[in-house]
Amino acid sequence: VRKYAHLAERITHLLIRERELNTISRNQADKRHFAMEALIHHTSANMDYLNACLKECGINITQKYRILLMRAAAESPSDNLSLLEQKIHQFFEMLSIKLYTFYYPNEYTAVVLPSQLEHNAYILERFAKDHQTSLKMTIGKMTSVYQLCDSYQTAVTAMKHFTAQTEGYIFFDDLGLELIFSGLNPLEKAEFLTKTLSTLDENERHLLTAYFENDMSLSGTSRQLFIHKNTLQYKLNHIFRKSGLNPRAFKDAVMLYLGLNLAK
């Protein structure tokens, strides 16, 4: 039985080593989670331990960073989520991102250098587009390490404006009108939509969207919608009569444009 005893001994050593590695990995994950919680939620007053964790994760407190926020689709099957989790970890390794954590049930938060995003812009764009049906991704504003709570909040704000039509990811710095909308409460939004779009049907809203996409050009809009210019003018006049807002007048067009964007 000596050969079987030797095999049992080898297996035991492997199991012990695997347990040691799992313990090390779990400890590292705990430290990353502690550091992230302290940075974005201000949950710790132990600055010495926090700085030690940051140093271990390769974070230089004299540099500025951004928060990278990922949220998996809530309706994704568990098998798909498991596979997506593996791909996210591989993505972080590819970009040399060392400080990240998972928030149940579907959120990953990571700390990234602006240079990591710039040097890997193609990889970032490709990853976001490849997983856009199962993963939403936003990037917050650049802040100092101890102000990353602000970067996280801006990433959350950007996440609110993620739609099915969004391609790739949303950069907080690129938001414009969305920042104005994010400050409105539901009652204010509903009131504004009542004043602008409540009398218009889906076809009329689609026509206005095309009209504004073509910089209010009649010829450009006509070509996009495959209708005659006179037909387009008639439809715009009809919208004016229904809503009281003239799409061809600048101030009224701004109101309608804001309404369309707010309704997304």
Side-chain angles (χ1 to χ4, degrees):
V1 296
R2 186 175 287 111
K3 61 179 180 180
Y4 297 110
H6 180 67
L7 179 61
E9 185 181 20
R10 292 293 302 273
I11 292 174
T12 302
H13 282 305
L14 288 173
L15 291 173
I16 292 172
R17 182 57 180 160
E18 182 181 13
R19 185 171 181 177
E20 289 173 348
L21 291 173
N22 286 339
T23 301
I24 293 171
S25 177
R26 189 164 56 250
N27 287 340
Q28 290 173 339
D30 289 343
K31 288 180 180 179
R32 290 197 303 265
H33 190 79
F34 167 83
M36 190 67 73
E37 278 285 289
L39 292 176
I40 66 176
H41 296 306
H42 293 306
T43 57
S44 173
N46 190 339
M47 294 301 297
D48 290 337
Y49 183 64
L50 172 59
N51 288 333
C53 292
L54 292 176
K55 185 176 181 180
E56 190 171 322
C57 293
I59 300 297
N60 185 340
I61 61 174
T62 65
Q63 292 183 293
K64 292 190 175 183
Y65 293 84
R66 293 181 184 271
I67 288 293
L68 172 63
L69 182 62
M70 294 182 177
R71 284 182 183 167
E75 64 274 8
S76 297
S78 58
D79 291 345
N80 290 353
L81 285 174
S82 179
L83 179 60
L84 182 61
E85 182 180 6
Q86 294 178 24
K87 292 182 177 180
I88 291 172
H89 281 283
Q90 292 170 359
F91 172 73
F92 288 159
E93 289 180 9
M94 195 178 303
L95 268 63
S96 299
I97 296 173
K98 297 181 179 179
L99 179 52
Y100 59 88
T101 194
F102 172 74
Y103 287 99
Y104 182 83
N106 62 343
E107 180 176 301
Y108 271 92
T109 306
V111 175
V112 294
L113 280 167
S115 58
Q116 286 175 301
L117 300 175
E118 294 168 8
H119 297 158
N120 299 283
Y122 175 78
I123 296 175
L124 187 69
E125 187 74 26
R126 186 76 269 157
F127 181 83
K129 286 185 177 180
D130 287 346
H131 301 91
Q132 65 182 34
T133 58
S134 57
L135 189 68
K136 299 176 181 179
M137 187 159 63
T138 60
I139 300 170
K141 71 176 184 178
M142 184 169 63
T143 68
S144 62
V145 171
Y146 299 124
Q147 294 299 318
L148 279 171
C149 56
D150 293 338
S151 185
Y152 176 75
Q153 289 302 322
T154 56
V156 170
T157 297
M159 189 65 72
K160 294 176 182 177
H161 302 287
F162 213 102
T163 67
Q165 289 72 42
T166 302
E167 292 188 2
Y169 58 93
I170 295 180
F171 214 110
F172 175 79
D173 297 22
D174 295 334
L175 295 180
L177 292 174
E178 295 88 351
L179 292 179
I180 300 173
F181 297 153
S182 64
L184 298 178
N185 62 46
L187 182 61
E188 291 169 334
K189 289 181 181 179
E191 189 173 336
F192 188 81
L193 289 174
T194 298
K195 290 181 178 180
T196 54
L197 302 181
S198 61
T199 59
L200 304 181
D201 60 31
E202 194 62 35
N203 290 330
E204 289 163 336
R205 296 185 186 192
H206 176 68
L207 183 144
L208 284 175
T209 299
Y211 180 60
F212 293 132
E213 286 176 350
N214 285 276
D215 295 326
M216 301 171 66
S217 165
L218 293 177
S219 57
T221 307
S222 299
R223 284 195 299 270
Q224 180 176 332
L225 298 178
F226 301 105
I227 59 176
H228 193 274
K229 189 184 293 186
N230 291 342
T231 303
L232 175 59
Q233 289 178 314
Y234 171 80
K235 289 179 178 292
L236 290 174
N237 289 333
H238 186 63
I239 289 172
F240 183 18
R241 288 194 295 271
K242 286 181 68 176
S243 67
L245 297 170
N246 184 0
R248 285 181 283 180
F250 176 74
K251 289 184 178 180
D252 288 355
V254 168
M255 292 285 286
L256 291 166
Y257 177 77
L258 291 174
L260 289 170
N261 279 272
L262 189 58
K264 289 182 179 178

